[in-house]
Amino acid sequence: MTWSLDGIGVQTAGHVCFSNNAGRPIAGRRLAPTLDAIRSIDCDVLMFEFANREVSELDLMATLAPDFCIGARVVDVKNFQIEDAEIVASRIAECLAHIPASVWITADCDFSALPR
């Protein structure tokens, strides 16, 4: 497969999530069953939502980190509850226990369509 970004010399990212704030998941929200497919994504950075999944499956990130930079989404934009700085900081600390310090930190599904 040829990508339109081949040869440009930029980092590419794959966004892995289970829905957006307007949609609802129709299947289990676990990464483990899809790990082989995730490993086959041709990108430099893999972005995962953790905030709305109670920071679960961080142990899987250690298996992906040798091949990808990991983007950890630690602000839950799919919830109307606004997290305080301590909650976000604790999620970051949990991520850093499993993911190298080169981790990218952002919000679940970025800040698009933020319902708050």
Side-chain angles (χ1 to χ4, degrees), residues 3 13-16 36-46 68:
W3 291 88
H15 172 103
V16 181
D36 287 339
I38 290 170
R39 285 184 206 284
S40 71
I41 297 172
D42 184 16
C43 67
D44 303 303
V45 182
L46 287 172
F68 302 93

Side-chain angles (χ1 to χ4, degrees), residues 24-92:
R24 302 293 173 254
I26 59 171
R29 296 184 320 151
R30 293 185 52 243
L31 295 170
T34 63
L35 205 53
D36 287 339
I38 290 170
R39 285 184 206 284
S40 71
I41 297 172
D42 184 16
C43 67
D44 303 303
V45 182
L46 287 172
M47 307 292 285
F48 296 98
E49 59 183 24
F50 289 113
N52 74 5
R53 296 178 52 245
E54 290 75 40
V55 197
S56 65
E57 297 186 292
L58 280 173
D59 56 318
L60 298 178
M61 298 304 104
T63 68
L64 294 170
D67 300 313
F68 302 93
C69 179
I70 302 298
R73 297 188 154 129
V74 295
V75 175
D76 188 357
V77 299
K78 299 174 185 178
N79 190 326
F80 286 96
Q81 176 182 348
I82 298 173
E83 301 102 320
D84 60 28
E86 289 78 22
I87 290 173
V88 175
S90 71
R91 290 177 183 156
I92 293 170

Side-chain angles (χ1 to χ4, degrees), residues 2-12 44:
T2 302
W3 291 88
S4 62
L5 298 176
D6 282 351
I8 294 179
V10 298
Q11 282 192 312
T12 56
D44 303 303

